[in-house]
Amino acid sequence: MTERTTENDRPGTPRGSRETGRGHEPQGHGPENPAALPRNHEPDEDHEADEGREVDEGREVGRARRRKEDARLVTGRTTWTDNIQLPGMLYVAFLRAPMAHARITRVDTSAARSRPGVVAAFHGQDFAGEQGSLPCAWPVTEDVVIPDHPPMAVDEVRYVGEAVACVVATDRYAAADALEDIEIDYEPLAAVVDMAEALTEGSPKVHETGNRAFTWRFSQGDVEAAFRDAPVVVDRSYVQQRLIPTAMEPRAVVATTDGDSFTLYSATQIPHVLRVMLAMTTGIPEHRLRVIAPDVGGGFGSKLQVTAEEVLALLLTRRLGRPVKWTESRSEGNLTVHHGRDQLQRIRLAAERDGRLRAVQVELLADMGAYLMLVTPGVPLLGAFMYGGVYKMNAYDFTCTGVFTTKMPTDAYRGAGRPEATFAIERAMDELAHELGLDPVEVRRRNWITHEEFPYTTVCGLTYDSGNYEAATDRALELFGYDALRAEQARRRAERDPVQLGIGVSTFTEMCGIAPSRVLGSLNYGAGGWEHASVRVLPTGKVEVVTGTSPHGQGHETAWSQIAADALGVPFEDVSVLHGDTAVSHKGMDTYGSRSLVVGGVAVLSACEKVKDRARELAAHMLEASAQDVEFADGSFRVRGTTQGRTIQEVALAAFAAHDLPDGVEPGLDAETTFDPENFSFPHGTHLCAVEVDTETGGTVIRSYVAVDDVGFVVNPLIVEGQVHGGIAQGVGQALFEEAIHDVEGNLLTTTMADYLIPSAADLPEFVTARTETPATSNPLGVKGVGEAGTIASTPAVVNAVVDALRPYGVHDVRMPCTPERVWRAMTSGAPEGSGASGTLGAFGAFATSVGSDAAGVSEGGRTSGGPEGFEGGAR
């Protein structure tokens, strides 16, 4: 994939808006002390220079460093959890429920226990008194229903794949084979698959309390008045299909014990959170429990979890006194890794005739699955504040109802609520543009927050601290060749070309860097948003950074080394980063929500500053000067106005020897920080997609894709590019390929990689990427998150492009994924695939009916328009 970067750092460009945006003045935002980490973009010696970037020798932050961890990761010469071999280790295999809903009436494990190599076999009743309930850390409302969630089912199963028994054997194959000999009798119960039907009177119940988990509402301004006399109302319903996270490394767990102490190795994103939750769940004292995340091969939120297998591995090693290991297969993972998305969305826009927004109203049904896992109910609410996107309005209303079904629980998946919000508002803005006969970019220009208005407090109460949507969009349009593509599109339409061109636009922002703690507390979240780091300058002058973040592919070891190297004036190669082990990094909140750099990286910088403060006092003593007269630059402390100085390495050795320390100064140069940010961070950008749709087959090919993102100051351009590329690929996956499908009995039909399609390299175009840089004002690095930006922006860009190609055929929506069959059916019916006209709407239609909405209606002055004939309901 081609990497192209903008001229973000031209000599003389003011700090603030790093991309000149066709006449837009740069913003005056930035960190208080930008000189602490001077910006430059010098590429690694083995990486081609970014075009247009100035080179500033001697600095690390901004350099396109190849990741130092990659040598071991890409060759596999590292410790994955499944590589771990311990003396006397046993292997676990789990028997899983074959039906979505049933009572367990009899279990017999005796035949399995008699198998060669089998050490033990257990079922849910064997652990009923000690396994507790898997935790939900986000009770979003006072009356939220949080059912007991045993790691191994005891009396009833509620989704296909739920663990019902296990075998422990001397090798994994003996354990798997012995599962065949376990006898379980079930009394089938009715499956609950459709969210809307689950809320109807008389529906079978997933739990005795009913199928409604919670209803959460947030409202600002007079929404009713905004809609009452609005000249234009756009009313749409969309389906966020269920997705299966597909990390490169499957989940794996190893548990071992040494007397009354336990160690758990897990392919997890959250070793620190996991330790706390396991202690609470199993009763093992926290100080007797060590959790280690070795190198982890991807997560995307799927490993942001406390899983049944982690709890059961600890219980098994406690009971048997021997180490145990479990590694999932890919098909097992499709069943039992928590799923993502799965929402039915209704979004209504009230607008003036010139396209300016008055209000946005959102109603969601969110599929929780059978249980509430770690942050399940909070995921759709993370998008609650983002359905307004980059736009200005006076009123906003959001309601979400969480629904239990007999399916695998949903939870965080890359973006977690924000991709769903961005998709809905960006699709609806395209519909508004179509209704008014305006270009989609023009409608956005008339509504977005201008760069002069930052910081801007949105109708939802968030304060966007910095941004420049105009600059990012102008650059994207230039790189995309927007006008030329529109002209080509018009020619193809006039010529009735069988391959139609579609152009999709997505202008987005997101709230990430999950924090601050006080805000999370106000939302009933069970933890804080702070992060911890410690920095140690060793006697020889080398540096150890200990971070509470836990990487699984993000490049923390490289980026944190760059930050520390610049802050302390030491070589990049002299910095080592330690992470992922609660006995090494005793404190942390781990990695998710694009929080690592904006919270964890800032904690590293803060700890470095504390180290320098300690070192300055000792250096002043060594130089026989006042600390106020000693300045630090290029790794040395010098008496201001003289050449007298001491390197930080010399100071570190003196601190170690402790022969001549000032009174009250402790030996060593160590410091730690717990940083709690003052605000979220708000990256933004504009993504443009051009697709070619074959109207004879429904096949869709992405012809070109341009992404211009603004993630604040960039520590490592290569890492940013990698995150953007990967994020776009996942968003394209949702738009065109991926969907977890259940039949009416709740059986998952997409259990293998042959059934659940993900995009390959051959399915993706060359991404043209660029950046603008408006630094965050809420942290001293000026950084914003990037890990989820590509996923958030890309899905609506692609679907908008597909729908745009089909506008001449009367199509206003194609349900994701936009497969060739769905595209062809939408085109040939002149209505969105899955509409009432074709009789295949299913849950989508039930939801539209339940909320009393036309799924695609637009009204203007009381006239219904824009909705294809045959769609249920009607616009206002």
Side-chain angles (χ1 to χ4, degrees):
M1 299 177 185
T2 300
E3 173 189 339
R4 299 183 189 174
T5 56
T6 60
E7 299 176 11
N8 292 344
D9 290 298
R10 302 183 186 92
T13 302
R15 299 171 64 87
S17 179
R18 288 302 187 93
E19 173 62 41
T20 56
R22 293 188 178 177
H24 299 296
E25 292 299 320
Q27 292 177 241
H29 299 294
E32 292 282 333
N33 56 339
L37 283 169
R39 290 288 301 158
N40 65 86
H41 290 273
E42 179 190 351
D44 221 2
E45 62 274 8
D46 52 2
H47 179 71
E48 184 179 342
D50 295 336
E51 58 181 79
R53 290 201 176 276
E54 63 179 281
V55 175
D56 183 2
E57 295 289 343
R59 296 292 180 184
E60 284 295 337
V61 169
R63 179 179 294 196
R65 279 277 189 186
R66 289 186 181 271
R67 302 192 316 180
K68 61 167 61 175
E69 52 268 65
D70 280 354
R72 70 175 191 272
L73 295 178
V74 301
T75 61
R77 296 178 179 177
T78 188
T79 301
W80 312 106
T81 301
D82 192 46
N83 296 152
I84 294 169
Q85 299 293 327
L86 299 176
M89 188 160 68
L90 302 173
Y91 297 82
V92 184
F94 290 100
L95 185 65
R96 301 193 179 274
M99 56 187 71
H101 200 191
R103 289 191 184 91
I104 300 172
T105 59
R106 185 182 73 92
V107 183
D108 185 351
T109 60
S110 58
R113 288 197 301 270
S114 66
R115 279 255 195 168
V118 172
V119 174
F122 301 101
H123 56 89
Q125 289 287 355
D126 295 323
F127 290 115
E130 59 180 309
Q131 66 177 339
S133 178
L134 293 177
C136 173
W138 203 337
V140 294
T141 63
E142 293 289 334
D143 60 351
V144 62
V145 176
I146 304 179
D148 285 343
H149 185 185
M152 187 177 288
V154 177
D155 300 313
E156 192 170 321
V157 296
R158 292 182 171 87
Y159 64 90
V160 173
E162 189 169 4
V164 293
C166 68
V167 171
V168 187
T170 53
D171 71 72
R172 62 187 303 176
Y173 303 105
D177 290 344
L179 294 178
E180 298 176 0
D181 289 342
I182 297 177
E183 298 179 10
I184 300 187
D185 292 338
Y186 296 94
E187 178 187 324
L189 299 171
V192 180
V193 179
D194 185 289
M195 275 189 279
E197 291 180 4
L199 296 178
T200 61
E201 187 175 352
S203 171
K205 294 181 180 180
V206 181
H207 301 280
E208 283 304 311
T209 52
N211 297 333
R212 186 184 299 267
F214 65 88
T215 297
W216 190 92
R217 187 179 183 194
F218 175 73
S219 189
Q220 295 283 86
D222 194 338
V223 173
E224 183 179 346
F227 276 91
R228 186 183 306 120
D229 59 351
V232 180
V233 173
V234 173
D235 194 331
R236 292 290 187 270
S237 292
Y238 299 116
V239 176
Q240 288 284 328
Q241 77 271 36
R242 179 174 280 243
L243 301 178
I244 301 175
T246 312
M248 184 175 291
E249 179 197 16
R251 291 180 299 147
V253 182
V254 173
T256 186
T257 181
D258 178 16
D260 60 352
S261 296
F262 297 82
T263 299
L264 183 85
Y265 301 84
S266 181
T268 180
Q269 298 174 219
I270 53 167
H272 297 89
V273 173
L274 182 59
R275 182 193 189 199
V276 174
M277 293 299 179
L278 288 175
M280 292 180 174
T281 302
T282 65
I284 297 172
E286 186 180 356
H287 68 295
R288 297 294 184 189
L289 178 59
R290 177 184 184 185
V291 174
I292 301 173
D295 281 326
V296 176
F300 314 123
S302 69
K303 296 169 184 173
L304 167 56
Q305 196 53 263
V306 179
T307 67
E309 294 82 8
E310 288 163 332
V311 173
L312 292 169
L314 276 176
L315 299 182
L316 287 167
T317 200
R318 181 166 68 180
R319 184 168 294 198
L320 300 174
R322 294 174 63 178
V324 300
K325 177 193 283 189
W326 170 78
T327 302
E328 73 180 4
S329 66
R330 183 62 71 184
S331 57
E332 189 177 24
N334 277 20
L335 282 171
T336 62
V337 169
H338 74 243
H339 293 171
R341 312 288 191 254
D342 207 349
Q343 297 177 9
L344 302 179
Q345 304 172 305
R346 181 190 180 190
I347 183 168
R348 301 174 70 223
L349 310 183
E352 307 292 349
R353 286 192 174 85
D354 65 359
R356 298 184 190 275
L357 291 175
R358 287 180 165 200
V360 170
Q361 185 177 45
V362 177
E363 295 176 77
L364 295 186
L365 294 185
D367 194 335
M368 303 288 98
Y371 300 99
L372 303 185
M373 297 193 75
L374 191 62
V375 294
T376 299
V379 168
L381 308 189
L382 286 171
F385 304 97
M386 301 309 297
Y387 278 86
V390 299
Y391 309 115
K392 296 178 285 189
M393 63 201 71
N394 295 321
Y396 175 77
D397 185 77
F398 173 93
T399 303
C400 175
T401 298
V403 185
F404 290 118
T405 61
T406 53
K407 291 183 277 188
M408 179 67 204
T410 56
D411 210 298
Y413 177 62
R414 196 169 190 171
R418 287 100 75 207
E420 298 93 310
T422 299
F423 180 87
I425 186 62
E426 288 304 290
R427 285 287 295 111
M429 290 298 284
D430 258 33
E431 297 304 303
L432 176 62
H434 175 70
E435 173 64 18
L436 297 174
L438 293 172
D439 184 275
V441 175
E442 179 57 30
V443 165
R444 288 165 170 82
R445 287 190 191 278
R446 294 183 184 186
N447 282 286
W448 65 36
I449 304 157
T450 64
H451 71 279
E452 299 96 342
E453 295 176 285
F454 287 98
Y456 185 88
T457 300
T458 72
V459 69
C460 296
L462 296 176
T463 299
Y464 295 176
D465 62 326
S466 67
N468 193 326
Y469 308 144
E470 306 99 303
T473 302
D474 286 348
R475 183 61 171 147
L477 295 172
E478 176 188 352
L479 291 171
F480 193 62
Y482 186 81
D483 293 339
L485 284 169
R486 283 293 184 198
E488 180 185 345
Q489 181 186 59
R491 289 195 303 271
R492 288 196 185 194
R493 288 181 175 179
E495 296 167 359
R496 303 185 66 83
D497 192 319
V499 179
Q500 285 290 308
L501 178 65
I503 298 169
V505 181
S506 174
T507 52
F508 82 101
T509 189
E510 61 152 323
M511 53 181 259
C512 62
I514 301 301
S517 297
R518 63 185 180 278
V519 174
L520 296 179
S522 72
L523 296 172
N524 292 328
Y525 183 62
W530 52 264
E531 194 48 80
H532 185 76
S534 61
V535 174
R536 306 189 286 246
V537 184
L538 304 178
T540 57
K542 310 304 181 184
V543 176
E544 288 180 340
V545 173
V546 183
T547 177
T549 64
S550 187
H552 40 282
Q554 293 90 343
H556 294 181
E557 293 179 30
T558 300
W560 282 208
S561 293
Q562 291 178 272
I563 292 170
D566 273 2
L568 299 176
V570 301
F572 170 81
E573 295 78 11
D574 285 1
V575 183
S576 175
V577 179
L578 308 177
H579 57 81
D581 182 342
T582 60
V584 174
S585 170
H586 71 285
K587 193 175 176 183
M589 288 304 299
D590 305 314
T591 294
Y592 41 84
S594 299
R595 70 183 301 274
S596 291
L597 178 61
V598 298
V599 189
V602 174
V604 170
L605 176 62
S606 178
C608 287
E609 294 299 323
K610 288 185 177 181
V611 166
K612 286 194 294 188
D613 289 342
R614 290 185 55 133
R616 178 178 285 105
E617 188 173 357
L618 179 54
H621 180 73
M622 296 168 69
L623 294 167
E624 299 181 339
S626 168
Q628 288 73 25
D629 294 330
V630 173
E631 57 187 5
F632 180 79
D634 300 324
S636 294
F637 295 92
R638 292 186 176 85
V639 178
R640 191 175 286 105
T642 74
T643 59
Q644 290 180 280
R646 293 288 187 274
T647 66
I648 194 167
Q649 292 87 349
E650 291 174 314
V651 177
L653 184 59
F656 166 73
H659 293 162
D660 184 22
L661 297 180
D663 291 341
V665 173
E666 297 178 359
L669 291 185
D670 303 343
E672 59 181 314
T673 292
T674 301
F675 172 71
D676 198 348
E678 65 186 50
N679 196 2
F680 297 92
S681 78
F682 300 97
H684 69 83
T686 297
H687 287 216
L688 302 174
C689 178
V691 302
E692 291 184 328
V693 177
D694 188 330
T695 60
E696 296 175 346
T697 67
T700 298
V701 175
I702 298 178
R703 172 170 149 177
S704 60
Y705 195 101
V706 168
V708 177
D709 289 285
D710 191 320
V711 296
F713 285 155
V714 172
V715 172
N716 187 316
L718 276 182
I719 290 176
V720 168
E721 292 302 318
Q723 290 288 329
V724 171
H725 285 189
I728 294 172
Q730 284 187 277
V732 169
Q734 179 173 7
L736 298 180
F737 298 95
E738 300 182 43
E739 184 174 24
I741 301 172
H742 292 80
D743 66 16
V744 294
E745 295 180 345
N747 297 302
L748 181 66
L749 304 181
T750 50
T751 58
T752 72
M753 298 293 284
D755 307 309
Y756 186 84
L757 302 182
I758 61 173
S760 69
D763 298 311
L764 300 172
E766 291 189 351
F767 301 140
V768 178
T769 61
R771 289 188 301 278
T772 58
E773 293 187 4
T774 51
T777 62
S778 57
N779 67 75
L781 277 172
V783 294
K784 305 176 183 180
V786 70
E788 296 158 308
T791 304
I792 291 168
S794 57
T795 304
V798 174
V799 177
N800 278 340
V802 172
V803 174
D804 185 58
L806 301 180
R807 291 285 186 192
Y809 298 87
V811 174
H812 297 273
D813 192 34
V814 179
R815 177 174 165 176
M816 295 187 293
C818 301
T819 62
E821 179 183 4
R822 284 181 173 168
V823 169
W824 184 83
R825 288 187 182 277
M827 181 193 65
T828 54
S829 67
E833 185 280 336
S835 73
S838 64
T840 60
L841 194 58
F844 189 21
F847 173 70
T849 301
S850 73
V851 296
S853 165
D854 182 342
V858 181
S859 68
E860 178 171 352
R863 175 178 62 84
T864 299
S865 64
E869 186 178 352
F871 229 85
E872 290 94 355
R876 253 191 343 156

